[in-house]
Amino acid sequence: MPPQGGAPWRTTVLGVLHPVGPLPAAVYWRRRLLVLALLLAVLGGGGWLVVAALTGSDGGTATSAAAATTDAADPSDEPPALEQVVPSLASVPTPTPAPGPAAEPEPAPASPTPGGPCGDDAIGLEVRAPGSAPVGGKPTFELVVTNTSSVPCVRVLDAGLQEVLLLDAAGNRVWGSNDCFPETSSDTRTLAPGESVVFPLTWGGLTSEPSCAAERTTPAPGQYVLRGRLDTKTSADTAITLG
């Protein structure tokens, strides 16, 4: 029941605004301010709880969606590119194989002793002939011996050691210079470096066999080769056409 008259009400208000007690007034003011602050904190916390309760579900969904979007957009969460996981082959050092042993050069033919024998490695041998000859004709061939070494050397050039063969395209023997008319001579010469000796030989145009036992005939037209020999030295083949 409200107090009657104005004096008591004013006394109550004055008592609140001007507390009276055995302690100093500042102590009572601090107590009242502390109570007021606690009251405001309680009221503010309650309001926040209400707002959170009303918006909690939507906010959680939005927060999850935002977090998912952030996670998807964050490039740090993406799988690393293949070139970042597997290093480029260009950056991987490739071991250099150890060099193998160098191929040994072929030994050069031993030069003859100056004034000593001319071995097969110290002489060149070839057959010179016209490129073609008529069938049944009598062409002249030349057996050429050359000292290819750098010193003078001695070579036996006996006629019995010289021979020229005619072979057909299949490699069959057609004629030999020593078959029917073998010659003998004693011919030992000292050949200077680069010196050549030429031995001419005329072919009768007929086939032959060793010892001249078979009938001699005219070879058929076609491609043939001539091959020379000086003892154990053999020349390369020289082509000739009979037609």
Side-chain angles (χ1 to χ4, degrees):
M1 180 176 180
Q4 297 179 358
W9 180 84
R10 290 195 298 271
T11 303
T12 302
V13 173
L14 293 173
V16 173
L17 298 176
H18 301 285
V20 178
L23 299 176
V27 174
Y28 296 102
W29 277 113
R30 284 194 295 270
R31 291 177 180 177
R32 283 161 176 73
L33 290 176
L34 178 60
V35 172
L36 181 61
L38 292 174
L39 180 61
L40 292 175
V42 171
L43 292 176
W48 180 83
L49 290 175
V50 172
V51 174
L54 294 176
T55 62
S57 59
D58 294 340
T61 304
T63 303
S64 301
T69 304
T70 303
D71 292 342
D74 188 359
S76 63
D77 294 336
E78 295 182 358
L82 181 61
E83 58 268 16
Q84 296 176 351
V85 176
V86 180
S88 174
L89 293 178
S91 63
V92 178
T94 303
T96 302
E104 296 182 0
E106 296 183 1
S111 297
T113 303
C118 294
D120 287 349
D121 292 337
I123 63 169
L125 188 66
E126 64 175 325
V127 177
R128 296 175 183 171
S132 63
V135 172
K138 298 181 179 181
T140 298
F141 309 137
E142 294 180 341
L143 185 65
V144 184
V145 182
T146 304
N147 178 8
T148 59
S149 72
S150 58
V151 297
C153 57
V154 178
R155 181 75 183 201
V156 177
L157 304 177
D158 294 352
L161 302 178
Q162 303 173 25
E163 185 177 26
V164 175
L165 300 178
L166 179 69
L167 309 174
D168 64 14
N172 299 314
R173 189 177 188 276
V174 176
W175 166 79
S177 60
N178 292 339
D179 290 344
C180 297
F181 306 101
E183 297 182 4
T184 59
S185 66
S186 179
D187 189 355
T188 301
R189 303 191 192 186
T190 299
L191 303 177
E195 181 182 0
S196 297
V197 181
V198 179
F199 299 97
L201 174 65
T202 300
W203 173 43
L206 300 176
T207 62
S208 66
E209 292 183 2
S211 303
C212 205
E215 180 183 358
R216 305 184 67 187
T217 62
T218 302
Q223 302 295 322
Y224 295 84
V225 296
L226 294 166
R227 185 178 303 163
R229 180 181 65 84
L230 177 64
D231 196 10
T232 55
K233 177 72 174 183
T234 303
S235 73
D237 293 345
T238 300
I240 184 172
T241 302
L242 299 181

